[in-house]
Amino acid sequence: MSPTCPRRTASPSVAGRALPPVGVFALQGDVREHVAVLRALGADVREVRTPAQLAEVAGLVIPGGESSVMDKLSRIFGLRDPLRHRIAEGMPVYGTCAGLIMLADRLHDGIAGQATFGGLDVAVRRNAFGNQLDSFETDLDVAVLGEQPVHAVFIRAPVVDEVGPKVEVLAALDDGRIVAVEQGRLMGTSFHPEVAGESRFHRRFLDHVTAAS
Ligand code: GLN
């Protein structure tokens, strides 16, 4: 993707406002897809790999990928502690799949020694659908996003096993398993809207950034 040609189509939520730059955690994962969705919504998007780059953004999307690798790379690049600090300060963050895992305060079925950034008072189970149902797609009702269902793509996805009292459940599967949550300005989904042409979660994230700045 050319960094020189941001598409600045106005969206109702960001049109006419000077939205501060937002970042996509870019040490690992499907960074490009999130950058494209955010740019299409009119956001000034930066890839974040260093503490200096993190300091420039007012909100962060953590993509899908492999959470154990994100954990290791964030330590190597010195991003883990500054990012934990920003989350604690209230920076809006949206995590998809591995990104949701990274936002969870508690992790089930992590690899030995795996840690998260934390922030969301939830327990998340990695690879919760096992090998049989490794990846699948379904339509989900997400009331906060309106009547149109969300087409959700799950790829070796986690589920939310437990939620704390301040966590709002945004979506669950028919069997009750929780797959989208929000707590203040932190939001996480087990699935990948960014690969399904779905931009309403990203728009909601940008609304959180606007509200926080
Ligand atoms: N299974 C991956 C993990 O543990 C997440 C998969 C994804 O992000 N699509 O991090």
Side-chain angles (χ1 to χ4, degrees), residues 63-68 96-99 101 114 126-127 155-158 192:
E66 174 48 52
S67 55
S68 58
T96 64
C97 202
I101 295 171
Q114 181 176 353
R126 272 176 81 234
N127 300 336
I155 305 167
R156 291 176 297 112
H192 292 268

Side-chain angles (χ1 to χ4, degrees), residues 76-95:
I76 292 168
F77 281 74
L79 205 50
R80 175 180 158 79
D81 288 342
L83 185 40
R84 282 169 58 82
H85 185 69
R86 290 291 303 278
I87 292 170
E89 278 184 344
M91 175 177 69
V93 186
Y94 171 35

Side-chain angles (χ1 to χ4, degrees), residues 117-193:
F117 302 135
L120 279 175
D121 182 12
V122 299
V124 162
R125 182 172 304 279
R126 272 176 81 234
N127 300 336
F129 296 95
N131 292 330
Q132 295 273 307
L133 202 60
D134 206 48
S135 299
F136 63 100
E137 301 182 21
T138 190
D139 286 333
L140 286 175
D141 288 324
V142 185
V144 295
L145 298 184
E147 280 190 9
Q148 174 83 18
V150 166
H151 187 68
V153 178
F154 292 79
I155 305 167
R156 291 176 297 112
V159 294
V160 178
D161 278 347
E162 300 153 16
V163 297
K166 293 188 180 148
V167 175
E168 186 183 352
V169 175
L170 300 185
L173 296 172
D174 287 344
D175 63 11
R177 283 185 286 183
I178 297 167
V179 291
V181 290
E182 186 171 68
Q183 179 184 342
R185 292 174 180 141
L186 300 178
M187 185 168 61
T189 59
S190 299
F191 48 88
H192 292 268

